[in-house]
Amino acid sequence: MNLYTLISASVVVVLAIFFSLPLLNPTYWLNLNLKSWLWIPIPSSSLSSSSLIADLVVRNGVIYTSDESLPFADSMAIHNGRILRLGNFSFVQELAGDGTEELDLGGKVVVPGFIDSHVHLIYAGLQMARVELHGVNKKDEFVRKIKEALRNAKEGSWILGGGWNNDLWGGELPLASWIDDITPYNPVWLNRMDGHMGLANSLALKLSGISNLTKDPEGGTIVRTVDGEPTGLLIDSAMKLLLPYIPEDTVNERREALVRATNHALMRGVTTVVDFGRYYPGVSAELSWEDFLDVYQWADASEKMMIRVCLFFPMETWLRLLDLIGKMGRAISQWIYLGGVKAFADGSLGSNSALFHEPYADEPHNYGLQVTESEILYNMTMASEKSGLQVAIHAIGDRANDLILDIYESVVSTNGMRDRRFRIEHAQHLAPGAAARFGQQGIVASVQPLHLLGDADSATKKLGTDRAQKESYLFRSLLASNALLAFGSDWPVVDINPLGGIKTAMKRIPPGWDDAWIPSECLTLNDALKAHTISAARACFLDNDLGSLSPGKLADFVILSTDSWDDFAAEGSASVEATYVSGVRAYP
């Protein structure tokens, strides 16, 4: 046997062994349970192989893919939860077989499953079962809601709820005295809609030891009368003086909250959320970890997860997250992905605690609150980033955004260039030049369009017309700077509603207004859709699997009520008819 023959024979043997091993066969991986191979990139050539039979063929629609290489298709084939092929029906139909289900869209518009880039999922589910004060626009209605909650409350039990917005009834802040007479035996705690301020009745203040002698904690304010007596309002870190006295939510209550919130999100077409947990200034960092252990892992193990979550944890616990990723990896299952860490730079506009370069117009001596010291923020960001964790920091005021942009720039100059996708959550008010810095530094602007509906009037009052017009919700400017724009809701601050957010980003017309607020910042439908899909996926490192309808991606999609793309593009108006996760109908 000559050398050539020997080599040829050896190659044949090796190839035979290679393709006989199931672990090395692409079809083996494609037929694994979806749970075991989510987040593993699968070559589109393998997925579109004619040897695979589609589980579902979706046809006769206007399928917006969010993928620039093929923006629209009328049909798609799905196998084992992922997309095999898109295009016209004859091309897709080649993958149909005896067991293939067919879904006729009847000409309806289909979009990728929406990704909400900023929610507090379990907290939102808990709030759905408490006193609901969203939309209340009169003091009498505020008080009536508390009276109603007392009917079924036992003496001594806490009355909890929130969502109030004092701007809806003229701006006057609520007082403990509003509800003291009707709640002599029940402590009360009611969060403002933004979560950065809350109202306690006098009994709750007494139980928590808050009096005229109590000092303001760093990063927080106890609102007082001219005589120094607490009014019942606590801002940002001051809430930590009271919150430990509220009984903890039980494990079952939190598990029920997850189910409740999930069903509502799916009804809105949301298939993935970036969840920042029950974490606000003044709240224990342990709550996020308790929800991960008691709720998310339980739901995953018991196959009750129906929505994908990318979890962020308090930045002060970054070492704990790093250890968890080392043990379990970033993708715990097809449902749970460990995202990164979050910190706070300031408070909120509505609570007059967002941090600005210039004082509030209605409070000339108030510049807002810096919730976390600059040195602490820098050191935690440096350590987290160096360990490979994604960092997200809450910043609403212009000074807070400049502070975080400076910290991120400094970290990059020290640690060097890499794909880190630093995030700023909210980025609501930006000083001149700040929008350009987002693009120059490659920062993710994680913004919430629906917030501008409630902020348009109050921003003018609190900042003055000139500042409000120049620096508020600069979506178009951020995109023009090549920043990555990711849309979310901050639910339960506002309702989770991507289609409402998309229309708001396009129109920017607040309630009672005839014209757009800063019309130069309006987006096109295409830009707004991408911010809730492919850009939102990229903003949390999930763009290999989510965000667009293209071969190899997970088959998460939403069927809309409209059958006219032109009408949708012009008005941004539509509703959700059905939501599919991994090619399976999840709503209704």
Side-chain angles (χ1 to χ4, degrees):
M1 181 181 296
N2 60 34
L3 181 60
Y4 176 82
T5 304
L6 178 61
I7 292 173
S8 300
S10 299
V11 169
V12 169
V13 170
V14 169
L15 289 175
I17 294 172
F18 181 91
F19 285 107
S20 69
L21 292 174
L23 291 177
L24 299 175
N25 189 331
T27 305
Y28 172 87
W29 290 102
L30 289 169
N31 286 287
L32 278 178
N33 184 292
L34 176 65
K35 189 171 185 176
S36 65
W37 51 265
L38 181 79
W39 321 119
I40 300 174
I42 305 296
S44 59
S45 58
S46 297
L47 283 166
S48 60
S49 169
S50 59
S51 64
L52 295 174
I53 302 299
D55 302 319
L56 174 67
V57 167
V58 180
R59 67 178 184 87
N60 187 26
V62 181
I63 301 174
Y64 172 81
T65 68
S66 213
D67 183 343
E68 293 181 358
S69 64
L70 179 67
F72 291 96
D74 64 32
S75 302
M76 63 180 169
I78 296 164
H79 173 79
N80 208 9
R82 289 190 183 252
I83 297 170
L84 285 177
R85 186 177 290 184
L86 288 98
N88 60 40
F89 180 62
S90 60
F91 176 59
V92 170
Q93 183 69 5
E94 295 174 0
L95 301 181
D98 291 339
T100 301
E101 181 185 351
E102 193 171 288
L103 174 62
D104 187 342
L105 296 170
K108 294 292 176 65
V109 171
V110 169
V111 296
F114 293 120
I115 298 171
D116 192 306
S117 296
H118 191 121
V119 303
H120 306 272
L121 192 64
I122 292 173
Y123 179 62
L126 289 168
Q127 182 59 40
M128 290 173 74
R130 294 174 176 172
V131 180
E132 177 56 74
L133 297 173
H134 278 94
V136 170
N137 58 10
K138 295 179 181 178
K139 173 184 174 180
D140 291 346
E141 178 68 5
F142 185 101
V143 175
R144 187 190 69 77
K145 290 269 191 177
I146 309 307
K147 279 184 178 178
E148 198 174 89
L150 285 165
R151 290 176 187 169
N152 300 317
K154 296 179 180 179
E155 185 175 312
S157 64
W158 281 76
I159 304 299
L160 303 173
W164 56 269
N165 180 2
N166 52 299
D167 292 324
L168 296 181
W169 59 71
E172 180 188 4
L173 288 167
L175 305 171
S177 59
W178 286 18
I179 55 176
D180 278 345
D181 289 346
I182 62 172
T183 59
Y185 308 113
N186 294 87
V188 178
W189 176 247
L190 306 167
N191 277 302
R192 192 181 188 277
M193 62 177 292
D194 51 34
H196 289 267
M197 177 190 287
L199 176 69
N201 67 347
S202 293
L203 180 57
L205 293 175
K206 182 179 179 181
L207 288 174
S208 55
I210 299 174
S211 70
N212 58 349
L213 300 177
T214 308
K215 295 181 179 180
D216 289 349
E218 187 170 344
T221 302
I222 301 169
V223 181
R224 306 170 193 269
T225 66
V226 292
D227 298 324
E229 294 294 329
T231 67
L233 291 168
L234 304 175
I235 300 176
D236 286 313
S237 294
M239 295 188 288
K240 69 183 179 183
L241 301 174
L242 178 139
L243 294 178
Y245 293 89
I246 299 176
E248 291 186 8
D249 300 295
T250 67
V251 172
N252 283 337
E253 285 171 340
R254 288 182 282 131
R255 289 175 178 177
E256 290 170 1
L258 173 63
V259 174
R260 192 182 302 123
T262 295
N263 290 335
H264 186 68
L266 290 169
M267 181 180 73
R268 299 293 195 183
V270 176
T271 56
T272 301
V273 298
V274 181
D275 184 13
F276 289 91
R278 291 185 294 148
Y279 181 53
Y280 291 94
V283 174
S284 170
E286 282 302 308
L287 297 184
S288 295
W289 287 99
E290 290 172 3
D291 287 343
F292 169 69
L293 296 168
D294 296 338
V295 182
Y296 282 123
Q297 286 199 305
W298 161 82
D300 193 31
S302 56
E303 299 183 349
K304 295 183 184 297
M305 288 292 293
M306 297 174 60
I307 192 169
R308 307 188 203 281
V309 295
C310 176
L311 302 178
F312 274 70
F313 295 84
M315 196 189 294
E316 63 199 79
T317 66
W318 69 270
L319 271 172
R320 190 171 174 183
L321 178 59
L322 187 65
D323 181 62
L324 179 65
I325 291 174
K327 293 175 180 176
M328 304 188 72
R330 291 189 179 273
I332 291 179
S333 72
Q334 64 157 315
W335 303 106
I336 302 174
Y337 184 80
L338 301 177
V341 291
K342 180 196 178 182
F344 288 89
D346 66 346
S348 71
L349 180 73
S351 299
N352 280 31
S353 58
L355 187 64
F356 286 94
H357 290 292
E358 298 179 36
Y360 284 84
D362 56 344
E363 290 186 16
H365 301 293
N366 180 19
Y367 291 79
L369 287 173
Q370 184 169 334
V371 174
T372 311
E373 290 182 10
S374 301
E375 185 177 358
I376 294 174
L377 271 176
Y378 174 79
N379 289 337
M380 288 196 303
T381 300
M382 176 69 76
S384 300
E385 190 282 330
K386 199 168 184 178
S387 299
L389 299 175
Q390 189 179 17
V391 173
I393 301 180
H394 163 118
I396 288 183
D398 56 16
R399 184 175 168 189
N401 277 277
D402 283 346
L403 169 67
I404 303 310
L405 288 168
D406 288 344
I407 287 176
Y408 285 163
E409 186 175 35
S410 181
V411 170
V412 170
S413 67
T414 301
N415 290 352
M417 296 298 295
R418 72 175 182 85
D419 184 11
R420 45 178 56 89
R421 304 183 203 180
F422 279 143
R423 298 170 60 114
I424 291 184
E425 304 301 316
H426 311 304
Q428 285 181 5
H429 305 281
L430 303 178
R437 290 185 66 187
F438 274 77
Q440 292 162 5
Q441 295 178 217
I443 308 299
V444 175
S446 172
V447 302
Q448 299 77 39
L450 285 172
H451 286 200
L452 73 81
L453 297 180
D455 275 359
D457 291 318
S458 61
T460 301
K461 174 185 174 183
K462 293 174 184 294
L463 305 180
T465 302
D466 186 58
R467 284 166 65 193
Q469 287 284 337
K470 288 180 178 178
E471 63 174 44
S472 302
Y473 295 88
L474 305 183
F475 301 155
R476 171 59 56 192
S477 296
L478 285 163
L479 277 183
S481 79
N482 293 317
L484 188 63
L485 195 67
F487 278 177
S489 64
D490 204 7
W491 187 40
V493 172
V494 298
D495 191 18
I496 190 169
N497 185 4
L499 287 170
I502 287 167
K503 182 176 181 178
T504 297
M506 294 170 60
K507 301 296 184 179
R508 294 177 68 104
I509 302 178
W513 289 44
D514 296 323
D515 301 311
W517 183 34
I518 321 178
S520 60
E521 296 296 332
C522 291
L523 298 185
T524 65
L525 173 63
N526 189 53
D527 287 335
L529 274 172
K530 284 186 175 180
H532 250 313
T533 54
I534 188 65
S535 294
R538 179 165 176 77
C540 55
F541 287 92
L542 297 181
D543 43 320
N544 280 338
D545 293 281
L546 300 171
S548 67
L549 299 175
S550 52
K553 297 290 183 75
L554 288 160
D556 295 356
F557 61 92
V558 181
I559 302 173
L560 302 182
S561 59
T562 182
D563 58 6
S564 171
W565 180 261
D566 290 340
D567 289 348
F568 187 30
E571 297 300 325
S573 296
S575 60
V576 173
E577 288 205 347
T579 304
Y580 282 72
V581 180
S582 294
V584 177
R585 192 178 183 110
Y587 166 81

